[in-house]
Amino acid sequence: MSINQSGISRDTQIFDLIQKEHNRQLHGIELIASENFVSPQVMEAAGSILTNKYAEGLPGKRYYGGCEVVDEVEQIAIDRLKALFNLTWANVQPHSGAQANMAVFLACLNPGDKILGFNLSHGGHLSHGSPVNISGKYFQPFFYGVEKETGLIDWDKVEATAAAEKPRLIICGASAYSRDWDYARLRNIADKVGAILLADISHPAGLIAKGLLNDPFDHCHIVTTTTHKTLRGTRGGVIMMRNDFENPFGITTAKGKVRTMSSLLDSGVFPGTQGGPLEHIIAAKAVAFGEALTDDFTNYAVQVQKNAKVMADAFVNKGYKVISNGTDNHLALIDLRPKGITGKLAENTLIQADITVNKNMVPFDEATAMTTSGMRVGTAAMTTRGLKENDFERVVGLVDKVLTNHDNEAVIKSVKSEINEWMKDFPLFQN
Ligand SMILES: *Cc1c(COP(=O)(O)O)cnc(C)c1O
């Protein structure tokens, strides 16, 4: 497409870098659990002319003219998401997962209110009450964690903390927890203390959509997710409910009618925490939700989970300490202390062999967040690329070879060449 604006020449500086990043993604093994590879049509929608449109408001209720087309796009995104998770309401405008959570907080909390979330250093997320995040600065955070011996959450302890602190909002969901959640038990706890229960399913959303993990929607009042992890869509967030309800805080309309939670959540997104929606990104979300509704995606999600089990078992068999000894979902958290290396060293060494992981705090970690004692690995991205169970065994073998030879440049180099050659068998994008 040519641009009819004089004086604009191709920005080779940026497009050369995009090509460089393209090559990086093709040559290596991507094990970052929060990443994935979107389809060409998702990228096409994300890069479309819809970026030019202002559309503050919701489909049919906008503050700008000319929204007829984007209204249809956004409505399709909403309808497909509803179909995917069997919902009655959804908002597809949050720019990211953290933004989705912030909109929920604005809808449900007043400054200083108590919230109860999963400890960040045990696998929780920054946006669930970390002191460096707005959720921990504007609200009063309390946390639950995992047990040292088992790596599992003890629901009785969650109940005890909830009973002691009486939070207004309980948050479940994590960034580095490899086991499933007892949403029914959590709802029971929330009801006992009069709290709203929020599930943030950012990581396992794609597996939940296909019924491969417990379904949070009948138990949790509100559910948020990112769209770019196992859901394999564009970078973004959404807020969902299976059942709408009148807000329990007594918030009314100007006419004195109790407002529904969906109306508070819509307002929490816009005008509460965002301005105009990114309609190009919403279009890309719609495309990804359409893909997620297919049988192909069901097969993908099943394979992600199978690959993760094999990967976790392979690490255990090689003597690694996998937190909770395995996984129910797409990821594993590995404590590297028994191997005598830090998360930082693992991340920095593996990248020299074109294997990408992220260093990660492990439960009861003494190291700092910049060093860490662990690493997090996931199967979502490489399963998109076509890797199966036996391939993941080979991947773990290569990871182990690099880590056990972290001071041997020749070995690392040979693994890198092996990987670059192997990855040619798994093309990603058409050029
Ligand atoms: C990734 C993640 C988020 C944040 O998503 P962003 O799009 O990076 O803001 C929120 N919550 C959980 C549990 C996550 O894993």
Side-chain angles (χ1 to χ4, degrees):
M1 201 188 299
S2 71
I3 301 172
N4 187 18
Q5 284 164 331
S6 59
I8 293 183
S9 55
R10 174 106 179 142
D11 188 338
T12 50
Q13 199 179 4
I14 287 298
F15 287 102
D16 286 354
L17 285 171
I18 291 175
Q19 188 56 45
K20 214 169 156 185
E21 171 62 11
H22 179 139
N23 295 342
R24 188 194 69 83
Q25 293 187 12
L26 275 173
H27 290 163
I29 291 178
E30 182 55 70
L31 295 179
I32 293 180
S34 50
E35 292 191 10
N36 212 325
F37 299 109
V38 300
S39 70
Q41 58 174 354
V42 168
M43 287 191 282
E44 194 181 335
S48 71
I49 47 84
L50 297 184
T51 193
N52 296 332
K53 190 71 199 94
Y54 240 115
E56 284 177 352
L58 290 164
K61 290 176 279 187
R62 304 282 192 186
Y63 292 85
Y64 286 80
C67 290
E68 304 76 29
V69 178
V70 291
D71 273 4
E72 282 191 57
V73 168
E74 187 167 340
Q75 194 57 52
I76 290 170
I78 293 168
D79 292 343
R80 287 181 182 170
L81 185 61
K82 282 182 177 174
L84 189 61
F85 289 105
N86 187 17
L87 312 171
T88 59
W89 175 87
N91 185 306
V92 297
Q93 293 188 357
H95 302 331
S96 73
Q99 289 289 109
N101 288 339
M102 191 141 67
V104 175
F105 297 160
L106 192 72
C108 295
L109 301 169
N110 294 310
D113 275 349
K114 292 178 175 180
I115 60 176
L116 175 61
F118 186 41
N119 193 330
L120 176 67
S121 65
H122 288 202
H125 191 261
L126 276 169
S127 63
H128 298 180
S130 161
V132 296
N133 183 261
I134 188 167
S135 58
K137 283 186 194 279
Y138 284 34
F139 310 107
Q140 207 186 327
F142 296 89
F143 298 99
Y144 54 90
V146 300
E147 296 304 296
K148 201 166 188 171
E149 309 72 47
T150 60
L152 301 172
I153 296 168
D154 179 338
W155 306 108
D156 291 337
K157 288 194 177 165
V158 180
E159 176 156 1
T161 310
E165 304 300 346
K166 304 248 179 333
R168 178 146 151 156
L169 181 76
I170 297 176
I171 310 161
C172 59
S175 296
Y177 187 61
S178 61
R179 295 302 182 175
D180 208 350
W181 293 77
D182 189 344
Y183 301 110
R185 178 75 197 270
L186 282 161
R187 176 56 181 268
N188 181 272
I189 295 168
D191 284 346
K192 279 184 182 163
V193 301
I196 297 272
L197 181 60
L198 166 67
D200 176 349
I201 60 169
S202 287
H203 265 270
L207 304 186
I208 291 171
K210 295 300 173 178
L212 302 173
L213 292 168
N214 293 335
D215 183 336
F217 290 95
D218 284 331
H219 305 292
C220 302
H221 296 95
I222 305 164
V223 179
T224 55
T225 184
T226 58
T227 46
H228 49 274
K229 296 176 185 174
T230 54
L231 207 46
R232 204 167 69 183
T234 185
R235 196 159 286 285
V238 297
I239 309 175
M240 306 171 277
M241 285 192 293
R242 183 165 291 162
N243 304 298
D244 199 0
F245 55 102
E246 286 189 346
N247 83 81
F249 319 121
I251 300 169
T252 55
T253 62
K255 290 178 185 154
K257 229 181 116 211
V258 178
R259 290 181 63 183
T260 56
M261 187 52 76
S262 61
S263 123
L264 290 187
L265 291 168
D266 280 335
S267 305
V269 177
F270 171 83
T273 53
Q274 293 188 175
L278 312 176
E279 291 297 341
H280 54 307
I281 297 301
I282 290 171
K285 288 173 183 171
V287 173
F289 300 156
E291 291 176 1
L293 284 163
T294 63
D295 292 341
D296 268 358
F297 192 88
T298 309
N299 297 335
Y300 163 71
V302 166
Q303 192 65 51
V304 166
Q305 199 178 32
K306 278 188 193 163
N307 286 348
K309 278 197 189 352
V310 167
M311 177 181 70
D313 287 349
F315 274 114
V316 170
N317 292 338
K318 291 212 175 289
Y320 287 82
K321 183 176 175 198
V322 175
I323 304 295
S324 87
N325 269 324
T327 182
D328 296 327
N329 54 33
H330 63 297
L331 66 81
L333 181 58
I334 297 168
D335 185 345
L336 294 165
R337 283 176 292 191
K339 293 279 180 185
I341 51 178
T342 66
K344 185 180 174 182
L345 179 70
E347 181 185 303
N348 290 342
T349 311
L350 286 166
I351 199 65
Q352 292 171 43
D354 282 348
I355 301 172
T356 319
V357 304
N358 65 286
K359 60 178 179 287
N360 212 99
M361 300 286 272
V362 294
F364 310 96
D365 207 330
E366 306 92 24
T368 65
M370 287 311 292
T371 306
T372 81
S373 297
M375 66 175 185
R376 187 185 63 162
V377 286
T379 56
M382 293 316 284
T383 304
T384 295
R385 234 173 137 176
L387 268 61
K388 299 280 194 292
E389 291 95 321
N390 57 331
D391 300 314
F392 269 94
E393 285 187 7
R394 182 169 168 191
V395 166
V396 173
L398 293 170
V399 168
D400 179 54
K401 190 168 175 187
V402 171
L403 292 182
T404 48
N405 294 283
H406 60 82
D407 44 12
N408 187 332
E409 234 173 87
V411 171
I412 295 169
K413 249 191 169 158
S414 81
V415 172
K416 178 185 158 91
S417 316
E418 179 182 339
I419 287 172
N420 295 159
E421 201 49 41
W422 185 27
M423 285 303 112
K424 287 182 187 160
D425 298 343
F426 300 95
L428 242 192
F429 322 108
Q430 283 108 15
N431 267 304

